[in-house]
Amino acid sequence: MLRCTDNLPLSLYTAAQTRALDARIINDGGVPGIQLMLRASRALFSTLETTWPDCDRLQVFCGKGNNAGDAYLLATLAVERGYQVQLWQVGEAPGSGDALLARQRAEAAGVVARPWQGEQPTEGVIVDGLLGTGLRGEVRPGFAEAVDAINASALPVLSVDVPSGLCSDSGRRLGVAVRAAVTVSFIALKRGLFTADAADHVGHLYFSDLDAPDVSFSEKPEAQRLELERALAALPERARSAHKGHFGHVLVVGGDDGMAGAAVLAASAAARSGAGLISCATRSAHLPGLLACRPEVMGHGVESVSALAPLLEKASVVVIGPGLGRQRWGRSLLKAVLATSLPAVLDADALNLLGSASALQRSAPTLLTPHPGEASRLLDCTTGDIYADRFAAARKLRELTGATILLKGAGSIIADEEGLAVCNYGNPGMASGGMGDVLSGVLGALLAQGLSASAAMRLGVCAHGAAADRAALKSERGLLASDVIEELRSVLNG
C-alpha cells in the first residue's frame, strides 16, 4: 500500500534496522530481492503518474546500489508505457546482485544507459536513483557533480527511498544532497527523513512497505513520529463543575532588565494553554507593562531570592529562563528554583546558567528545551557535533540529566521515558524571537494540568508547532510569537 505525507506510519527506523528488515523479508518471508525491486518500481511509477500526469519524459540517474535497481525497473515500466527515457549511469554500473538483474531487465526492454559526463538535464522529470541509505561520509566527486547538476536543472525530482546525499539516520546533508519534489521511501520509514536538513530535501513524502510479510517487522522502532491528535488524548476532559484550582498554578520566573517581553510571552502562552492560575516573577519595573498587556497574570516584583520564596510555596509548576539573563539576579533565582521539588521547565538563560548537563541533579519532573547552541554548551561539544547526530545528542542529554529533553530545530527531537520521538509541526516563520518563550509557557501549563513530563512535552511541542502552522496560513514571513499564542486555544481544544 502506498501512503502519502498525511497518512504515514508512526514508527521510524535507522538504516541498519531497515537493512535487517529487508534481509528478513527475503530470507524469512521468502520474497526475492528482485521482486521487492519490482514492487518498488510500481510504487514509484504510480507516484509519478499521480504527481505529474502530463509528464512523458524521464531523466533517470543511477548509481550501482539497490536504489539504482529500483530506478532501472522504473525506467523499464516507463518505456513500456510510452515514455521517452534517458538513463544516465553515474560511476560504475552494478556488477552483481539484484541491481544487476534490474539493469539487465532494463536493457532487454530497450533502455540504453549512457555514462554521465556532465550533461545538464533540460526537460522532463528527473529520477534520483544515485545513492541510498548505505552512504557513509560526504558524497564523492562525480556523484557530487551529478547532484549539483540535478539541483541546477530546476526540473522536478522524484527521489528513490531517500534523496541522494541526505543521511537517512541523522537527516544531515552529506556535503551536497538532491532537492527532491517527491520522495518515495520503502520497507520502513527512515528517521533522517524527518529532521535537520530533510525539510529542504525530501519534498512530499510517500511510503510503501512493499507488501512485506509481518515476520519482517518484529524489530523495535528507533523513534516515533508524533501526531497532534494522539498527543491530545493525554489532556483530560474538564468536569463541568471545574474551577481554576483544578488546573494548577504556573509561576514564570524571568524578565531581567530589558527582557520583560520574554517572560510576558511565556506567561501569556501558559494562560492560553489552560493553566488555572499564572504568576510572573520579574523585575519590579516591568509590572505596569505586564499588567497592561496581560491582566490575567498576577505580576510580582522580585528583586531578590527572599521575594521569590513565598511565590514558590504557592506554585505547582515553575517555568524559568525566558529573559532571565546571565547575571547575579538570574543565577540566584535559578538556584532557588532548582532547590525545590516543584516540576520545572528550564529554557533559554536557565540552560545557559546551568552550565553543563551533569550539573542538573533533580528528582522532580524537569523539562529541558535547548536549541543546538544551548545543547552544545550543556554537553561541552560543538554545535557541529550536535548537528552530526541530533538523536544521539538528545539521548545523551536525557542520560546525563534524567530530564525530559526537547532538542529544538526543524524536526524537533524528544528524548523521554518512552524513547525518542520527532515532531514535524512548525514552519520557517517560527525563525523569530520569542517562539521558545511561548513553548516554555505551553509546557508549564500542561504540567500544571496534571500531565506527565513525557505527555506534556509531546503534546506541548505538537500544539506549539500546529498553532504556528495555523498562524502561518496568512503568511510565514513576519510571523510573531504572539500570533502563535492566539492560536493555542483552538489547537488544544481539538
Side-chain angles (χ1 to χ4, degrees):
M1 180 175 66
L2 190 63
R3 303 188 190 186
C4 66
T5 301
D6 298 327
N7 185 32
L8 295 172
L10 299 181
S11 297
L12 306 179
Y13 295 83
T14 64
Q17 286 179 312
T18 306
R19 285 191 290 272
L21 293 171
D22 189 70
R24 281 204 290 275
I25 295 171
I26 295 170
N27 298 326
D28 300 337
V31 182
I34 190 65
Q35 181 63 39
L36 292 176
M37 285 186 176
L38 285 167
R39 295 176 185 179
S41 68
R42 295 184 192 117
L44 288 164
F45 191 76
S46 174
T47 305
L48 176 70
E49 286 189 308
T50 302
T51 308
W52 299 285
D54 297 327
C55 171
D56 61 2
R57 184 177 180 87
L58 298 185
Q59 305 268 349
V60 183
F61 283 73
C62 290
K64 67 174 184 178
N66 285 347
N67 280 40
D70 298 339
Y72 286 130
L73 294 177
L74 170 60
T76 305
L77 279 176
V79 165
E80 292 173 350
R81 304 292 179 87
Y83 283 67
Q84 297 181 54
V85 176
Q86 176 60 64
L87 196 150
W88 300 104
Q89 182 65 54
V90 180
E92 297 180 4
S96 62
D98 295 319
L100 174 59
L101 293 176
R103 178 183 170 91
Q104 291 170 341
R105 290 196 180 201
E107 291 171 341
V111 178
V112 178
R114 291 175 54 191
W116 185 75
Q117 296 179 331
E119 293 87 348
Q120 180 73 51
T122 58
E123 56 182 330
V125 171
I126 294 175
V127 177
D128 161 33
L130 289 171
L131 302 166
T133 61
L135 182 62
R136 296 290 180 269
E138 293 202 350
V139 178
R140 299 192 310 266
F143 284 95
E145 285 78 6
V147 169
D148 286 339
I150 290 171
N151 288 340
S153 73
L155 296 175
V157 179
L158 172 63
S159 280
V160 179
D161 202 28
V162 60
S164 293
L166 187 75
C167 178
S168 61
D169 281 347
S170 68
R172 183 167 57 99
R173 182 176 52 248
L174 297 173
V176 296
V178 167
R179 291 192 296 270
V182 173
T183 299
V184 184
S185 192
F186 306 115
I187 303 295
L189 281 178
K190 291 77 184 170
R191 69 182 195 180
L193 295 172
F194 296 89
T195 192
D197 292 321
D200 293 321
H201 292 273
V202 172
H204 200 70
L205 181 62
Y206 288 82
F207 170 74
S208 175
D209 62 9
L210 304 183
D211 296 323
D214 292 339
V215 67
S216 62
F217 288 90
S218 59
E219 193 157 352
K220 182 180 179 181
E222 173 65 16
Q224 293 287 329
R225 190 174 59 84
L226 295 181
E227 283 188 337
L228 176 62
E229 292 75 14
R230 288 174 177 260
L232 279 169
L235 200 58
E237 185 176 348
R238 295 192 166 192
R240 306 317 299 167
S241 57
H243 59 77
K244 62 188 178 184
H246 290 146
F247 305 115
H249 186 164
V250 176
L251 172 62
V252 175
V253 180
D256 199 356
D257 293 332
M259 295 183 285
V264 173
L265 286 169
S268 298
R272 285 297 189 192
S273 299
L277 294 166
I278 302 95
S279 293
C280 184
T282 188
R283 290 288 194 180
S284 300
H286 298 153
L287 293 181
L290 168 64
L291 296 176
C293 176
R294 188 62 67 188
E296 300 87 351
V297 173
M298 295 176 283
H300 301 273
V302 172
E303 302 298 334
S304 66
V305 172
S306 61
L308 181 65
L311 302 180
L312 290 171
E313 291 178 0
K314 296 179 181 179
S316 52
V317 174
V318 181
V319 173
I320 183 165
L324 186 66
R326 305 186 196 183
Q327 306 306 313
R328 181 179 299 176
W329 182 77
R331 193 177 300 277
S332 63
L333 297 185
L334 176 62
K335 184 178 180 180
V337 169
L338 293 179
T340 71
S341 59
L342 291 171
V345 179
L346 274 61
D347 183 39
D349 284 329
L351 299 173
N352 293 319
L353 289 172
L354 192 61
S356 69
S358 57
L360 183 66
Q361 302 292 330
R362 299 192 87 227
S363 57
T366 306
L367 279 61
L368 306 185
T369 61
H371 57 56
E374 292 159 347
S376 69
R377 289 189 283 275
L378 289 170
L379 292 176
D380 192 23
C381 63
T382 68
T383 53
D385 294 330
I386 301 296
Y387 186 67
D389 192 339
R390 288 163 48 80
F391 291 94
R395 182 187 284 117
K396 187 173 183 181
L397 282 170
R398 167 75 177 168
E399 291 171 352
L400 290 175
T401 64
T404 299
I405 305 297
L406 173 68
L407 181 55
K408 294 187 285 196
S412 294
I413 296 171
I414 291 171
D416 59 18
E417 60 188 16
E418 298 182 41
L420 295 171
V422 184
C423 176
N424 287 118
Y425 296 95
N427 61 79
M430 298 175 74
S432 64
M435 291 292 175
D437 304 318
V438 171
L439 175 60
S440 65
V442 175
L443 297 175
L446 295 176
L447 284 174
Q449 292 171 78
L451 272 66
S452 69
S454 176
M457 185 70 92
R458 291 182 176 224
L459 174 55
V461 69
C462 286
H464 179 246
D469 287 341
R470 290 196 184 191
L473 290 175
K474 296 178 181 178
S475 61
E476 290 182 355
R477 199 181 305 272
L479 183 67
L480 299 179
S482 52
D483 298 330
V484 176
I485 292 173
E486 297 310 309
E487 299 292 342
L488 285 169
R489 185 165 53 147
S490 60
V491 169
L492 286 167
N493 282 282

